[in-house]
Amino acid sequence: MDPTADTDVADEELVRRYQATGSRPHLDALLERHIGRVRSLAYGMVLNHSDADDLTQEVFLRVTKSLAQFKGDSKFSTWLYRVTVNTSTRFLERRGKLAAEIDRRAPEPLERETQGPECRMLSGETAQAVADALATLTPALRAAMVLVVLDGVSVDEAAEVESCTASTIYWRIHEGRKILRQRLAGYLTP
């Protein structure tokens, strides 16, 4: 079977193929497909580039070890995000704090080539202010905000990832936005 054909195959089919054959190309295709979102979610939880890289690697090691036992009771992506949130939360707990330690190297703004230097600087400052405010949220509030608001995961899937109800996710988003509004009020108001 040609592993390059795996790009058009659904996650669940790739999982099934990997579980049936143990073929590394199926696993690689599955992990390559999700590396960006896992890295983004990990970064959103810990707000540090180096830690997010380490957590992404740890998540994929855990997934690789556990994939043979994955039963498919939820979507693969839901399970993967749950592993990512759990791994990130445990990392923060091991550090003895629930607030993230912010990496002062803010991510580059999108569409950098089309922006002037003033706009790029303001975008970088805004991104840093948002990261500072996100760092003050609890891991549960941060996970809801990152999953739904930043990564575009549906509320129902975020609820499944977080093992809670959709109304709890809505509440967490509401609380997270309220806190972010308070933290950013002085920054955003002229």
Side-chain angles (χ1 to χ4, degrees):
M1 180 170 282
D2 179 15
T4 60
D6 286 344
T7 57
D8 296 330
V9 177
D11 288 348
E12 288 68 24
E13 179 60 20
L14 285 173
V15 169
R16 189 195 63 69
R17 288 179 186 178
Y18 176 73
Q19 288 174 333
T21 65
S23 174
R24 185 68 194 206
H26 297 306
L27 177 64
D28 290 344
L30 190 62
L31 299 183
E32 279 182 38
R33 181 178 293 177
H34 292 280
I35 192 167
R37 293 200 71 187
V38 167
R39 171 59 169 72
S40 175
L41 179 54
Y43 179 79
M45 291 296 295
V46 299
L47 300 169
N48 181 288
H49 294 288
S50 178
D51 292 340
D53 291 341
D54 292 345
L55 286 169
T56 300
Q57 184 175 4
E58 185 177 340
V59 165
F60 284 128
L61 286 171
R62 288 174 189 254
V63 166
T64 300
K65 289 179 183 177
S66 304
L67 193 56
Q69 290 80 35
F70 177 68
K71 292 180 178 42
D73 294 336
S74 63
K75 290 181 358 183
F76 172 77
S77 60
T78 302
W79 178 69
L80 180 61
Y81 299 153
R82 183 71 191 146
V83 171
T84 305
V85 169
N86 284 344
T87 303
S88 300
T89 301
R90 275 194 300 280
F91 170 81
L92 291 171
E93 289 169 352
R94 279 193 312 267
R95 283 217 162 155
K97 59 185 173 192
L98 294 180
E101 186 175 295
I102 300 173
D103 186 343
R104 292 292 168 198
R105 293 172 300 145
E108 290 292 318
L110 297 178
E111 301 176 22
R112 180 184 173 123
E113 297 79 26
T114 62
Q115 298 176 343
E118 299 85 9
C119 188
R120 283 196 305 268
M121 183 179 76
L122 182 59
S123 294
E125 289 173 5
T126 302
Q128 190 59 56
V130 171
D132 289 344
L134 270 174
T136 66
L137 299 179
T138 65
L141 294 180
R142 197 175 318 138
M145 294 295 293
V146 172
L147 283 166
V148 176
V149 178
L150 300 179
D151 284 350
V153 172
S154 74
V155 169
D156 290 334
E157 187 173 0
E160 195 172 341
V161 166
E162 284 289 289
S163 300
C164 64
T165 64
S167 60
T168 299
I169 293 294
Y170 280 118
W171 179 86
R172 289 176 182 175
I173 291 169
H174 171 76
E175 285 299 305
R177 284 182 172 154
K178 186 168 72 173
I179 292 168
L180 292 176
R181 230 179 272 117
Q182 291 169 349
R183 301 270 190 260
L184 295 170
Y187 178 78
L188 298 176
T189 330

